[in-house]
Amino acid sequence: MFEYFTDTLPHFLAYFGAALGLAVAFLAIYVLITPHKEFALIREGNTAAATQLTGTFLGFAVPVAIVIGHSVSIPDMLLWGAVAALVQLIVFFAIARLLFTAISKRIADGCVASGIFVGGTGLGIGILQAACMVP
């Protein structure tokens, strides 16, 4: 059993490192494209921003977790992870630019309902997306 662990540990570390890198890149891009500044708002205690960003991140992480379990290589996982990130960016764009143009301001103002809606939608779409990524 210990030999199996030592044989597979590098594989785990490679996938985990790649997934963390992908997650950091996603969060960096996401907070750059949103009109409000999530991390600053969260530092100020804005629950709406925290809920929105957490739900969106989970909506990204769930498909990536599924992909890790089914990918044939790290580049394959990164490619599908990029698709998961793109979908989350599109979700925010659709909500903030097409459906509810004032939602970003409402999140910045602390409207928890708006944060729950954006984060929950991102999570729901991420779950659906994860189901579609399994062969």
Side-chain angles (χ1 to χ4, degrees):
M1 183 167 113
F2 187 72
E3 182 180 338
Y4 174 77
F5 172 76
T6 58
D7 289 346
T8 58
L9 183 61
H11 184 75
F12 160 77
L13 293 173
Y15 269 88
F16 189 60
L20 283 178
L22 192 61
V24 168
F26 166 70
L27 284 172
I29 292 167
Y30 186 83
V31 299
L32 283 175
I33 68 147
T34 57
H36 54 280
K37 303 299 173 212
E38 284 90 350
F39 290 120
L41 292 169
I42 292 167
R43 276 191 287 278
E44 295 169 5
N46 185 312
T47 305
T51 304
Q52 175 249 323
L53 189 59
T54 300
T56 298
F57 181 71
L58 290 173
F60 162 78
V62 169
V64 171
I66 295 297
V67 164
I68 289 169
H70 293 87
S71 65
V72 296
S73 64
I74 290 177
D76 180 45
M77 183 272 292
L78 291 172
L79 181 62
W80 284 106
V83 170
L86 182 61
V87 168
Q88 288 301 314
L89 296 174
I90 291 169
V91 166
F92 182 80
F93 177 80
I95 291 170
R97 302 286 190 229
L98 303 175
L99 297 175
F100 302 107
T101 56
I103 204 156
S104 184
K105 181 179 179 336
R106 292 178 54 78
I107 290 169
D109 291 343
C111 176
V112 177
S114 295
I116 291 171
F117 178 76
V118 174
T121 301
L123 178 56
I125 295 295
I127 291 169
L128 294 175
Q129 180 183 354
C132 296
M133 290 181 163
V134 177

